[in-house]
Amino acid sequence: MKVENIVHNLLYEETKATKLFLWLFYIFYIAFELIYYYLFPNLYSNGGISKYKEGLGLWYYFFIIGIFPLAIYYFKKGNPYIIKYLYIYTFIVIDTVHNLIIYMGTDKQFAAGSIVEVVFILFSPIFVNKKYYWTVSLGMVLKYGLIGFMIHDIQVVAPVIIYIILSAIALIILIRFESFLDSLTNAHEELRRKEKLAVIGQMAAAIAHEIRNPLSSLKGFTQLQQERYPNTNDFYPIMIQEIDRINSIVEDLMTLGKPKEIKFSKANIEEIIAYTLSITQQEAERQGVSVETTMTGPLPPLDCDSKQLKQVFINLIKNAIESMSEGGKIKVSVKVLDGTKMNISIQDEGSGIDEESIPNLGEPFFTTKTDGTGLGLMVSNQIVQDHNGEITIKSSLGKGTTVNVTVPISRNYRKI
Ligand code: ADP
Ligand code: MG
């Protein structure tokens, strides 16, 4: 969704909630005033209070109705967010002043509390807004606290207790709403990410598939040419090497679209690592990188697709080598965890990864290298996940990176 659309939808939701708020506010306000101050005093003619003759008198209504045009103005201006605060602040201020005028310096029994205060509190989950919630709850408590303090009347305790209870209920609902909305947003995000990946994957796989055939004939003919005219020039090995590079990129792209089916069989982890190191040895030497391998304890055979795991370790060791432009040491260590998992850690002394890039690792095409593809980690991640395993990366900028691959030893221990 585009940002403008999101803003527009939020505005629409807020407008809807605010309209409902205004309706309920005025309906409850008018009904309450009519019943409490006109109906009751007339029914029980000697009791009751006629508010319009006391305190702020008609000014009270003037304010409450007078802010309505302001509300309309803010709607028109496209800023409905402010309206609820306009009402709560206005209400608290004039109701406090009103009560103080009536009760201060008299020994009248304090009788206050209005149904619209309940409307204010119960609207905080509807606005799904913590700031509004705290404004209302603290506002109400402070209002009654101040009135009680000024008129020295313990009666204010009753509305304070009621509003604290109501606020607690409102808070519980508000938190539930928020966490519900959060999980909904997360699920939506995840779905979008998966869809994006699926589309990229299918496209990439389709293109890769088309490239593969002409590429293999190109390689074949180049090899043939080299055999026929071995002494003409030295470009053939480079050409073949580059074609192989394209080929490996194309293969990565194909795993993106349709993950190859994994063929589990018992394999020896020592052999997998040894093979990986033999493939990457040349590049390591060129960069002045040495590799140290530690195998701890007797290592049981690993239930895995060894061809694919080799691909994972080639990717990870290549990344480690590429991060060390000035040479250094890579430590590869293999150990058994909890008797059920195999842990392979690859630790380099390279450039490390800056904090901002960490969330992007494993995203297709995310790379910081000029000739990188940004597919290595994503393919590796997919393969390890297919093995019910997990890759974790710890990195410290300028010091190095440790990549941990953990996979279940046997398929009977699938849970990790
Ligand atoms: P590529 O190697 O083609 O860039 P990868 O998916 O293998 O793609 O890696 C993505 C990015 O992750 C790299 O460009 C690099 O910035 C970062 N990265 C991966 N491994 C390491 C590492 N060992 N040290 C530093 N950065 C790394
Ligand atoms: Mg890589």
Side-chain angles (χ1 to χ4, degrees):
M1 218 193 287
K2 277 200 209 131
V3 176
E4 300 98 79
N5 282 351
I6 297 173
V7 171
H8 183 265
N9 283 352
L10 286 178
L11 192 70
Y12 174 71
E13 287 299 323
E14 182 75 16
T15 308
K16 235 171 38 177
T18 307
K19 278 185 182 158
L20 182 66
F21 168 78
L22 289 182
W23 270 110
L24 291 182
F25 175 83
Y26 281 111
I27 288 174
F28 277 93
Y29 183 74
I30 292 166
F32 182 79
E33 294 291 304
L34 282 178
I35 293 171
Y36 203 77
Y37 296 110
Y38 298 95
L39 216 55
F40 274 16
N42 289 335
L43 282 180
Y44 315 100
S45 49
N46 51 350
I49 324 137
S50 6
K51 184 177 172 186
Y52 63 99
K53 289 187 193 138
E54 286 185 273
L56 286 171
L58 286 174
W59 282 102
Y60 194 104
Y61 301 114
F62 178 78
F63 278 119
I64 294 292
I65 293 166
I67 50 176
F68 188 64
L70 253 177
I72 306 257
Y73 167 75
Y74 282 117
F75 271 130
K76 289 250 159 75
K77 237 181 97 181
N79 189 3
Y81 301 96
I82 214 162
I83 296 171
K84 51 185 177 293
Y85 293 109
L86 178 72
Y87 274 75
I88 183 76
Y89 285 130
T90 312
F91 180 81
I92 287 180
V93 170
I94 55 169
D95 205 55
T96 308
V97 172
H98 178 72
N99 279 307
L100 288 180
I101 297 176
I102 297 177
Y103 294 106
M104 232 165 65
T106 69
D107 53 3
K108 273 188 224 159
Q109 271 262 301
F110 178 71
S114 165
I115 190 88
V116 294
E117 297 178 340
V118 178
V119 173
F120 278 130
I121 293 175
L122 294 185
F123 253 84
S124 41
I126 295 180
F127 284 122
V128 203
N129 185 328
K130 277 234 175 76
K131 190 179 149 209
Y132 170 79
Y133 169 80
W134 287 113
T135 311
V136 171
S137 306
L138 294 179
M140 292 299 169
V141 171
L142 282 179
K143 184 188 125 184
Y144 283 103
L146 179 73
I147 295 173
F149 178 75
M150 300 291 278
I151 66 174
H152 304 292
D153 194 334
I154 200 74
Q155 291 282 44
V156 293
V157 172
V160 168
I161 289 175
I162 292 175
Y163 291 144
I164 287 176
I165 293 171
L166 274 181
S167 294
I169 295 171
L171 184 64
I172 293 168
I173 303 176
L174 174 62
I175 289 173
R176 276 298 311 137
F177 271 11
E178 272 186 346
S179 86
F180 177 68
L181 284 179
D182 268 359
S183 50
L184 218 62
T185 321
N186 288 345
H188 185 70
E189 266 302 302
E190 182 62 23
L191 207 69
R192 254 170 31 94
R193 216 180 64 84
K194 285 217 171 111
E195 268 173 10
K196 190 175 115 192
L197 254 177
V199 172
I200 295 175
Q202 279 160 8
M203 239 177 72
I207 297 170
H209 189 80
E210 294 307 312
I211 293 176
R212 221 162 54 143
N213 292 339
L215 207 58
S216 58
S217 35
L218 200 60
K219 185 176 173 185
F221 288 129
T222 314
Q223 275 168 334
L224 208 67
Q225 200 80 338
Q226 183 186 22
E227 278 160 26
R228 268 198 206 158
Y229 311 101
N231 297 322
T232 45
N233 65 47
D234 336 315
F235 294 137
Y236 288 122
I238 300 174
M239 283 165 77
I240 292 169
Q241 199 183 314
E242 291 300 297
I243 292 174
D244 282 340
R245 221 166 77 87
I246 301 176
N247 225 339
S248 74
I249 296 172
V250 163
E251 256 161 36
D252 277 353
L253 283 172
M254 289 183 57
T255 36
L256 256 174
K258 38 177 192 304
K260 283 181 220 141
E261 204 189 322
I262 29 177
K263 295 185 197 84
F264 279 97
S265 64
K266 293 250 182 282
N268 192 328
I269 187 73
E270 284 104 326
E271 250 167 52
I272 294 177
I273 299 290
Y275 174 85
T276 311
L277 295 181
S278 73
I279 295 280
T280 50
Q281 192 184 9
Q282 241 188 353
E283 202 182 326
E285 277 170 13
R286 233 188 352 250
Q287 296 255 44
V289 171
S290 62
V291 184
E292 184 189 289
T293 328
T294 329
M295 308 264 176
T296 311
L299 296 169
L302 187 62
D303 218 354
C304 66
D305 187 327
S306 61
K307 222 175 138 191
Q308 295 209 27
L309 274 196
K310 283 172 188 166
Q311 183 65 50
V312 171
F313 296 124
I314 291 174
N315 286 344
L316 298 180
I317 289 179
K318 271 196 172 159
N319 279 348
I321 297 171
E322 282 158 5
S323 77
M324 288 190 277
S325 49
E326 267 132 54
K329 195 195 258 173
I330 298 175
K331 283 185 192 154
V332 179
S333 39
V334 185
K335 60 175 181 288
V336 174
L337 286 183
D338 307 335
T340 59
K341 294 176 241 166
M342 187 84 78
N343 171 265
I344 302 98
S345 116
I346 296 155
Q347 186 180 359
D348 67 52
E349 303 172 337
S351 58
I353 305 162
D354 68 77
E355 206 134 311
E356 283 156 29
S357 304
I358 289 193
N360 298 323
L361 296 180
E363 287 275 322
F365 309 116
F366 171 78
T367 180
T368 54
K369 300 166 192 165
T370 41
D371 61 347
T373 60
L375 291 172
L377 280 183
M378 116 121 249
V379 167
S380 307
N381 217 0
Q382 197 160 353
I383 294 173
V384 173
Q385 272 176 14
D386 287 344
H387 281 79
N388 274 304
E390 159 177 80
I391 298 187
T392 54
I393 300 179
K394 267 190 259 148
S395 188
S396 152
L397 199 61
K399 291 210 182 114
T401 305
T402 307
V403 182
N404 268 294
V405 179
T406 315
V407 279
I409 292 170
S410 154
R411 275 201 288 165
N412 299 332
Y413 302 114
R414 264 310 187 64
K415 275 225 145 341
I416 203 162

mmCIF file of all heavy atoms in Angstrom, residues 194-234:
data_model
loop_
_atom_site.group_PDB
_atom_site.id
_atom_site.type_symbol
_atom_site.label_atom_id
_atom_site.label_comp_id
_atom_site.label_asym_id
_atom_site.label_seq_id
_atom_site.Cartn_x
_atom_site.Cartn_y
_atom_site.Cartn_z
ATOM 1 N N LYS A 194 6.029 -12.397 1.540
ATOM 2 C CA LYS A 194 6.021 -13.709 0.890
ATOM 3 C C LYS A 194 5.563 -13.580 -0.555
ATOM 4 O O LYS A 194 6.103 -14.215 -1.453
ATOM 5 C CB LYS A 194 5.090 -14.654 1.650
ATOM 6 C CG LYS A 194 5.680 -15.140 2.948
ATOM 7 C CD LYS A 194 5.288 -16.593 3.190
ATOM 8 C CE LYS A 194 6.048 -17.171 4.369
ATOM 9 N NZ LYS A 194 5.198 -17.423 5.504
ATOM 10 N N GLU A 195 4.521 -12.758 -0.769
ATOM 11 C CA GLU A 195 4.006 -12.596 -2.131
ATOM 12 C C GLU A 195 5.070 -11.997 -3.031
ATOM 13 O O GLU A 195 5.278 -12.446 -4.155
ATOM 14 C CB GLU A 195 2.787 -11.677 -2.122
ATOM 15 C CG GLU A 195 1.489 -12.441 -1.982
ATOM 16 C CD GLU A 195 0.316 -11.507 -1.797
ATOM 17 O OE1 GLU A 195 0.486 -10.284 -1.969
ATOM 18 O OE2 GLU A 195 -0.759 -12.012 -1.463
ATOM 19 N N LYS A 196 5.745 -10.962 -2.491
ATOM 20 C CA LYS A 196 6.786 -10.293 -3.259
ATOM 21 C C LYS A 196 7.859 -11.309 -3.635
ATOM 22 O O LYS A 196 8.277 -11.408 -4.786
ATOM 23 C CB LYS A 196 7.387 -9.165 -2.408
ATOM 24 C CG LYS A 196 8.304 -8.242 -3.165
ATOM 25 C CD LYS A 196 8.753 -7.100 -2.264
ATOM 26 C CE LYS A 196 10.232 -7.174 -2.040
ATOM 27 N NZ LYS A 196 10.729 -6.307 -0.998
ATOM 28 N N LEU A 197 8.256 -12.094 -2.628
ATOM 29 C CA LEU A 197 9.286 -13.101 -2.859
ATOM 30 C C LEU A 197 8.856 -14.095 -3.919
ATOM 31 O O LEU A 197 9.628 -14.460 -4.798
ATOM 32 C CB LEU A 197 9.519 -13.867 -1.559
ATOM 33 C CG LEU A 197 10.807 -13.536 -0.852
ATOM 34 C CD1 LEU A 197 10.890 -14.293 0.450
ATOM 35 C CD2 LEU A 197 11.970 -13.897 -1.753
ATOM 36 N N ALA A 198 7.593 -14.513 -3.827
ATOM 37 C CA ALA A 198 7.102 -15.518 -4.766
ATOM 38 C C ALA A 198 7.148 -14.968 -6.176
ATOM 39 O O ALA A 198 7.578 -15.659 -7.114
ATOM 40 C CB ALA A 198 5.689 -15.935 -4.391
ATOM 41 N N VAL A 199 6.742 -13.711 -6.355
ATOM 42 C CA VAL A 199 6.726 -13.123 -7.699
ATOM 43 C C VAL A 199 8.154 -12.973 -8.224
ATOM 44 O O VAL A 199 8.471 -13.398 -9.333
ATOM 45 C CB VAL A 199 6.021 -11.747 -7.680
ATOM 46 C CG1 VAL A 199 6.170 -11.056 -9.021
ATOM 47 C CG2 VAL A 199 4.560 -11.929 -7.337
ATOM 48 N N ILE A 200 9.035 -12.395 -7.367
ATOM 49 C CA ILE A 200 10.434 -12.249 -7.777
ATOM 50 C C ILE A 200 10.999 -13.611 -8.138
ATOM 51 O O ILE A 200 11.652 -13.795 -9.156
ATOM 52 C CB ILE A 200 11.287 -11.639 -6.633
ATOM 53 C CG1 ILE A 200 10.840 -10.222 -6.326
ATOM 54 C CG2 ILE A 200 12.755 -11.656 -6.982
ATOM 55 C CD1 ILE A 200 11.550 -9.614 -5.136
ATOM 56 N N GLY A 201 10.700 -14.577 -7.264
ATOM 57 C CA GLY A 201 11.244 -15.917 -7.441
ATOM 58 C C GLY A 201 10.827 -16.541 -8.758
ATOM 59 O O GLY A 201 11.652 -17.062 -9.507
ATOM 60 N N GLN A 202 9.530 -16.446 -9.043
ATOM 61 C CA GLN A 202 9.046 -17.070 -10.276
ATOM 62 C C GLN A 202 9.655 -16.414 -11.501
ATOM 63 O O GLN A 202 10.055 -17.087 -12.450
ATOM 64 C CB GLN A 202 7.525 -16.973 -10.344
ATOM 65 C CG GLN A 202 6.860 -18.050 -9.524
ATOM 66 C CD GLN A 202 5.436 -17.706 -9.172
ATOM 67 O OE1 GLN A 202 4.904 -16.712 -9.670
ATOM 68 N NE2 GLN A 202 4.832 -18.501 -8.324
ATOM 69 N N MET A 203 9.721 -15.070 -11.444
ATOM 70 C CA MET A 203 10.309 -14.346 -12.572
ATOM 71 C C MET A 203 11.758 -14.732 -12.756
ATOM 72 O O MET A 203 12.198 -15.071 -13.860
ATOM 73 C CB MET A 203 10.242 -12.850 -12.286
ATOM 74 C CG MET A 203 9.481 -12.090 -13.301
ATOM 75 S SD MET A 203 9.436 -10.386 -12.781
ATOM 76 C CE MET A 203 11.113 -9.916 -13.070
ATOM 77 N N ALA A 204 12.491 -14.711 -11.638
ATOM 78 C CA ALA A 204 13.916 -15.009 -11.708
ATOM 79 C C ALA A 204 14.140 -16.423 -12.222
ATOM 80 O O ALA A 204 14.990 -16.658 -13.083
ATOM 81 C CB ALA A 204 14.533 -14.840 -10.326
ATOM 82 N N ALA A 205 13.331 -17.360 -11.700
ATOM 83 C CA ALA A 205 13.517 -18.750 -12.100
ATOM 84 C C ALA A 205 13.231 -18.926 -13.588
ATOM 85 O O ALA A 205 13.935 -19.656 -14.293
ATOM 86 C CB ALA A 205 12.614 -19.650 -11.269
ATOM 87 N N ALA A 206 12.199 -18.239 -14.071
ATOM 88 C CA ALA A 206 11.848 -18.359 -15.491
ATOM 89 C C ALA A 206 12.982 -17.819 -16.366
ATOM 90 O O ALA A 206 13.396 -18.469 -17.336
ATOM 91 C CB ALA A 206 10.556 -17.592 -15.763
ATOM 92 N N ILE A 207 13.505 -16.651 -15.994
ATOM 93 C CA ILE A 207 14.601 -16.065 -16.770
ATOM 94 C C ILE A 207 15.831 -16.956 -16.696
ATOM 95 O O ILE A 207 16.461 -17.266 -17.712
ATOM 96 C CB ILE A 207 14.939 -14.643 -16.251
ATOM 97 C CG1 ILE A 207 13.727 -13.729 -16.446
ATOM 98 C CG2 ILE A 207 16.148 -14.080 -16.967
ATOM 99 C CD1 ILE A 207 13.857 -12.390 -15.774
ATOM 100 N N ALA A 208 16.118 -17.413 -15.471
ATOM 101 C CA ALA A 208 17.304 -18.252 -15.286
ATOM 102 C C ALA A 208 17.229 -19.498 -16.157
ATOM 103 O O ALA A 208 18.202 -19.893 -16.792
ATOM 104 C CB ALA A 208 17.420 -18.638 -13.822
ATOM 105 N N HIS A 209 16.042 -20.079 -16.199
ATOM 106 C CA HIS A 209 15.861 -21.291 -16.979
ATOM 107 C C HIS A 209 16.184 -21.040 -18.458
ATOM 108 O O HIS A 209 16.843 -21.841 -19.108
ATOM 109 C CB HIS A 209 14.427 -21.777 -16.815
ATOM 110 C CG HIS A 209 14.202 -23.117 -17.395
ATOM 111 N ND1 HIS A 209 14.558 -24.263 -16.738
ATOM 112 C CD2 HIS A 209 13.703 -23.495 -18.591
ATOM 113 C CE1 HIS A 209 14.278 -25.303 -17.501
ATOM 114 N NE2 HIS A 209 13.749 -24.868 -18.631
ATOM 115 N N GLU A 210 15.727 -19.896 -18.946
ATOM 116 C CA GLU A 210 15.968 -19.550 -20.356
ATOM 117 C C GLU A 210 17.439 -19.285 -20.635
ATOM 118 O O GLU A 210 17.928 -19.536 -21.725
ATOM 119 C CB GLU A 210 15.150 -18.311 -20.744
ATOM 120 C CG GLU A 210 13.654 -18.524 -20.720
ATOM 121 C CD GLU A 210 13.237 -19.726 -21.564
ATOM 122 O OE1 GLU A 210 13.706 -19.827 -22.712
ATOM 123 O OE2 GLU A 210 12.470 -20.570 -21.038
ATOM 124 N N ILE A 211 18.140 -18.761 -19.629
ATOM 125 C CA ILE A 211 19.553 -18.428 -19.839
ATOM 126 C C ILE A 211 20.424 -19.689 -19.824
ATOM 127 O O ILE A 211 21.441 -19.758 -20.481
ATOM 128 C CB ILE A 211 20.038 -17.446 -18.737
ATOM 129 C CG1 ILE A 211 19.327 -16.095 -18.891
ATOM 130 C CG2 ILE A 211 21.541 -17.218 -18.798
ATOM 131 C CD1 ILE A 211 19.650 -15.093 -17.813
ATOM 132 N N ARG A 212 19.970 -20.679 -19.070
ATOM 133 C CA ARG A 212 20.834 -21.838 -18.839
ATOM 134 C C ARG A 212 21.219 -22.585 -20.114
ATOM 135 O O ARG A 212 22.369 -22.946 -20.301
ATOM 136 C CB ARG A 212 20.179 -22.783 -17.856
ATOM 137 C CG ARG A 212 21.234 -23.316 -16.903
ATOM 138 C CD ARG A 212 20.659 -23.882 -15.688
ATOM 139 N NE ARG A 212 19.662 -24.889 -16.048
ATOM 140 C CZ ARG A 212 19.502 -25.992 -15.361
ATOM 141 N NH1 ARG A 212 20.282 -26.243 -14.334
ATOM 142 N NH2 ARG A 212 18.554 -26.846 -15.682
ATOM 143 N N ASN A 213 20.247 -22.799 -21.007
ATOM 144 C CA ASN A 213 20.561 -23.583 -22.203
ATOM 145 C C ASN A 213 21.564 -22.898 -23.124
ATOM 146 O O ASN A 213 22.578 -23.506 -23.470
ATOM 147 C CB ASN A 213 19.281 -23.936 -22.950
ATOM 148 C CG ASN A 213 18.455 -24.908 -22.141
ATOM 149 O OD1 ASN A 213 19.002 -25.584 -21.262
ATOM 150 N ND2 ASN A 213 17.155 -24.949 -22.397
ATOM 151 N N PRO A 214 21.313 -21.616 -23.521
ATOM 152 C CA PRO A 214 22.336 -20.976 -24.359
ATOM 153 C C PRO A 214 23.687 -20.919 -23.660
ATOM 154 O O PRO A 214 24.719 -21.046 -24.319
ATOM 155 C CB PRO A 214 21.794 -19.568 -24.584
ATOM 156 C CG PRO A 214 20.584 -19.424 -23.772
ATOM 157 C CD PRO A 214 20.144 -20.756 -23.331
ATOM 158 N N LEU A 215 23.647 -20.807 -22.326
ATOM 159 C CA LEU A 215 24.898 -20.715 -21.579
ATOM 160 C C LEU A 215 25.696 -22.019 -21.684
ATOM 161 O O LEU A 215 26.917 -22.001 -21.865
ATOM 162 C CB LEU A 215 24.576 -20.427 -20.114
ATOM 163 C CG LEU A 215 25.624 -19.690 -19.318
ATOM 164 C CD1 LEU A 215 25.918 -18.350 -19.973
ATOM 165 C CD2 LEU A 215 25.147 -19.483 -17.890
ATOM 166 N N SER A 216 24.979 -23.141 -21.598
ATOM 167 C CA SER A 216 25.746 -24.399 -21.641
ATOM 168 C C SER A 216 26.320 -24.630 -23.038
ATOM 169 O O SER A 216 27.421 -25.163 -23.166
ATOM 170 C CB SER A 216 24.933 -25.580 -21.138
ATOM 171 O OG SER A 216 23.791 -25.695 -21.921
ATOM 172 N N SER A 217 25.600 -24.199 -24.111
ATOM 173 C CA SER A 217 26.232 -24.372 -25.425
ATOM 174 C C SER A 217 27.414 -23.415 -25.577
ATOM 175 O O SER A 217 28.438 -23.781 -26.143
ATOM 176 C CB SER A 217 25.239 -24.235 -26.579
ATOM 177 O OG SER A 217 24.282 -23.276 -26.283
ATOM 178 N N LEU A 218 27.277 -22.216 -25.009
ATOM 179 C CA LEU A 218 28.383 -21.253 -25.060
ATOM 180 C C LEU A 218 29.628 -21.846 -24.402
ATOM 181 O O LEU A 218 30.733 -21.766 -24.933
ATOM 182 C CB LEU A 218 27.960 -19.982 -24.317
ATOM 183 C CG LEU A 218 28.736 -18.723 -24.628
ATOM 184 C CD1 LEU A 218 28.620 -18.370 -26.103
ATOM 185 C CD2 LEU A 218 28.193 -17.560 -23.790
ATOM 186 N N LYS A 219 29.401 -22.467 -23.235
ATOM 187 C CA LYS A 219 30.543 -23.050 -22.522
ATOM 188 C C LYS A 219 31.153 -24.193 -23.342
ATOM 189 O O LYS A 219 32.381 -24.288 -23.485
ATOM 190 C CB LYS A 219 30.092 -23.545 -21.151
ATOM 191 C CG LYS A 219 31.239 -24.051 -20.327
ATOM 192 C CD LYS A 219 30.806 -24.455 -18.927
ATOM 193 C CE LYS A 219 31.972 -25.127 -18.214
ATOM 194 N NZ LYS A 219 31.590 -25.630 -16.910
ATOM 195 N N GLY A 220 30.264 -25.031 -23.886
ATOM 196 C CA GLY A 220 30.727 -26.175 -24.687
ATOM 197 C C GLY A 220 31.586 -25.717 -25.854
ATOM 198 O O GLY A 220 32.697 -26.215 -26.063
ATOM 199 N N PHE A 221 31.082 -24.707 -26.572
ATOM 200 C CA PHE A 221 31.833 -24.235 -27.748
ATOM 201 C C PHE A 221 33.136 -23.551 -27.356
ATOM 202 O O PHE A 221 34.137 -23.687 -28.047
ATOM 203 C CB PHE A 221 30.966 -23.295 -28.595
ATOM 204 C CG PHE A 221 29.886 -24.035 -29.328
ATOM 205 C CD1 PHE A 221 28.559 -23.637 -29.268
ATOM 206 C CD2 PHE A 221 30.204 -25.167 -30.085
ATOM 207 C CE1 PHE A 221 27.564 -24.337 -29.929
ATOM 208 C CE2 PHE A 221 29.213 -25.864 -30.759
ATOM 209 C CZ PHE A 221 27.887 -25.448 -30.685
ATOM 210 N N THR A 222 33.118 -22.863 -26.253
ATOM 211 C CA THR A 222 34.358 -22.217 -25.792
ATOM 212 C C THR A 222 35.403 -23.266 -25.458
ATOM 213 O O THR A 222 36.576 -23.157 -25.834
ATOM 214 C CB THR A 222 34.084 -21.344 -24.555
ATOM 215 O OG1 THR A 222 32.928 -20.562 -24.792
ATOM 216 C CG2 THR A 222 35.249 -20.425 -24.250
ATOM 217 N N GLN A 223 34.945 -24.343 -24.788
ATOM 218 C CA GLN A 223 35.885 -25.415 -24.453
ATOM 219 C C GLN A 223 36.435 -26.065 -25.724
ATOM 220 O O GLN A 223 37.640 -26.333 -25.831
ATOM 221 C CB GLN A 223 35.182 -26.471 -23.599
ATOM 222 C CG GLN A 223 35.189 -26.091 -22.123
ATOM 223 C CD GLN A 223 34.252 -26.962 -21.306
ATOM 224 O OE1 GLN A 223 33.272 -27.503 -21.829
ATOM 225 N NE2 GLN A 223 34.546 -27.086 -20.024
ATOM 226 N N LEU A 224 35.539 -26.255 -26.678
ATOM 227 C CA LEU A 224 35.930 -26.870 -27.950
ATOM 228 C C LEU A 224 36.982 -26.018 -28.656
ATOM 229 O O LEU A 224 38.006 -26.502 -29.125
ATOM 230 C CB LEU A 224 34.676 -26.987 -28.820
ATOM 231 C CG LEU A 224 34.668 -28.120 -29.830
ATOM 232 C CD1 LEU A 224 34.631 -29.471 -29.141
ATOM 233 C CD2 LEU A 224 33.447 -27.975 -30.746
ATOM 234 N N GLN A 225 36.685 -24.725 -28.665
ATOM 235 C CA GLN A 225 37.570 -23.766 -29.313
ATOM 236 C C GLN A 225 38.956 -23.811 -28.653
ATOM 237 O O GLN A 225 39.973 -23.793 -29.347
ATOM 238 C CB GLN A 225 36.970 -22.355 -29.143
ATOM 239 C CG GLN A 225 37.475 -21.349 -30.113
ATOM 240 C CD GLN A 225 36.785 -21.474 -31.474
ATOM 241 O OE1 GLN A 225 36.251 -22.527 -31.820
ATOM 242 N NE2 GLN A 225 36.833 -20.414 -32.242
ATOM 243 N N GLN A 226 38.936 -23.922 -27.322
ATOM 244 C CA GLN A 226 40.200 -23.945 -26.589
ATOM 245 C C GLN A 226 41.018 -25.192 -26.950
ATOM 246 O O GLN A 226 42.225 -25.123 -27.118
ATOM 247 C CB GLN A 226 39.915 -23.914 -25.087
ATOM 248 C CG GLN A 226 41.172 -23.863 -24.260
ATOM 249 C CD GLN A 226 40.873 -23.980 -22.769
ATOM 250 O OE1 GLN A 226 39.823 -24.498 -22.387
ATOM 251 N NE2 GLN A 226 41.793 -23.505 -21.966
ATOM 252 N N GLU A 227 40.272 -26.317 -27.071
ATOM 253 C CA GLU A 227 40.973 -27.558 -27.426
ATOM 254 C C GLU A 227 41.542 -27.470 -28.830
ATOM 255 O O GLU A 227 42.640 -27.943 -29.117
ATOM 256 C CB GLU A 227 40.008 -28.738 -27.328
ATOM 257 C CG GLU A 227 39.864 -29.237 -25.892
ATOM 258 C CD GLU A 227 38.586 -30.042 -25.706
ATOM 259 O OE1 GLU A 227 38.090 -30.628 -26.709
ATOM 260 O OE2 GLU A 227 38.063 -30.049 -24.562
ATOM 261 N N ARG A 228 40.795 -26.843 -29.750
ATOM 262 C CA ARG A 228 41.238 -26.786 -31.142
ATOM 263 C C ARG A 228 42.443 -25.880 -31.324
ATOM 264 O O ARG A 228 43.355 -26.188 -32.058
ATOM 265 C CB ARG A 228 40.092 -26.256 -32.008
ATOM 266 C CG ARG A 228 39.275 -27.394 -32.550
ATOM 267 C CD ARG A 228 38.470 -26.907 -33.714
ATOM 268 N NE ARG A 228 37.286 -27.738 -33.833
ATOM 269 C CZ ARG A 228 36.189 -27.389 -34.439
ATOM 270 N NH1 ARG A 228 36.094 -26.177 -34.964
ATOM 271 N NH2 ARG A 228 35.186 -28.194 -34.533
ATOM 272 N N TYR A 229 42.375 -24.731 -30.668
ATOM 273 C CA TYR A 229 43.480 -23.771 -30.838
ATOM 274 C C TYR A 229 44.085 -23.455 -29.483
ATOM 275 O O TYR A 229 43.934 -22.353 -28.953
ATOM 276 C CB TYR A 229 42.977 -22.474 -31.480
ATOM 277 C CG TYR A 229 42.126 -22.695 -32.706
ATOM 278 C CD1 TYR A 229 40.751 -22.613 -32.642
ATOM 279 C CD2 TYR A 229 42.727 -22.987 -33.935
ATOM 280 C CE1 TYR A 229 39.963 -22.828 -33.751
ATOM 281 C CE2 TYR A 229 41.945 -23.209 -35.062
ATOM 282 C CZ TYR A 229 40.559 -23.128 -34.965
ATOM 283 O OH TYR A 229 39.780 -23.347 -36.060
ATOM 284 N N PRO A 230 44.748 -24.418 -28.886
ATOM 285 C CA PRO A 230 45.206 -24.223 -27.513
ATOM 286 C C PRO A 230 46.191 -23.072 -27.349
ATOM 287 O O PRO A 230 46.308 -22.502 -26.277
ATOM 288 C CB PRO A 230 45.849 -25.553 -27.126
ATOM 289 C CG PRO A 230 46.056 -26.276 -28.408
ATOM 290 C CD PRO A 230 45.214 -25.687 -29.471
ATOM 291 N N ASN A 231 46.912 -22.715 -28.387
ATOM 292 C CA ASN A 231 47.970 -21.733 -28.177
ATOM 293 C C ASN A 231 47.632 -20.331 -28.674
ATOM 294 O O ASN A 231 48.445 -19.428 -28.570
ATOM 295 C CB ASN A 231 49.255 -22.195 -28.849
ATOM 296 C CG ASN A 231 49.727 -23.483 -28.223
ATOM 297 O OD1 ASN A 231 49.610 -23.656 -27.015
ATOM 298 N ND2 ASN A 231 50.191 -24.403 -29.043
ATOM 299 N N THR A 232 46.409 -20.134 -29.211
ATOM 300 C CA THR A 232 46.139 -18.828 -29.823
ATOM 301 C C THR A 232 46.083 -17.685 -28.829
ATOM 302 O O THR A 232 46.666 -16.653 -29.035
ATOM 303 C CB THR A 232 44.832 -18.854 -30.637
ATOM 304 O OG1 THR A 232 43.880 -19.522 -29.848
ATOM 305 C CG2 THR A 232 45.038 -19.486 -31.992
ATOM 306 N N ASN A 233 45.336 -17.867 -27.755
ATOM 307 C CA ASN A 233 45.394 -16.822 -26.712
ATOM 308 C C ASN A 233 45.030 -17.381 -25.339
ATOM 309 O O ASN A 233 44.600 -18.520 -25.217
ATOM 310 C CB ASN A 233 44.517 -15.620 -27.072
ATOM 311 C CG ASN A 233 43.056 -15.986 -27.105
ATOM 312 O OD1 ASN A 233 42.582 -16.633 -26.195
ATOM 313 N ND2 ASN A 233 42.365 -15.595 -28.166
ATOM 314 N N ASP A 234 45.200 -16.553 -24.303
ATOM 315 C CA ASP A 234 44.978 -17.068 -22.943
ATOM 316 C C ASP A 234 43.610 -16.690 -22.396
ATOM 317 O O ASP A 234 43.364 -16.785 -21.220
ATOM 318 C CB ASP A 234 46.025 -16.511 -21.960
ATOM 319 C CG ASP A 234 47.292 -16.089 -22.621
ATOM 320 O OD1 ASP A 234 47.752 -16.886 -23.457
ATOM 321 O OD2 ASP A 234 47.794 -14.982 -22.309
#
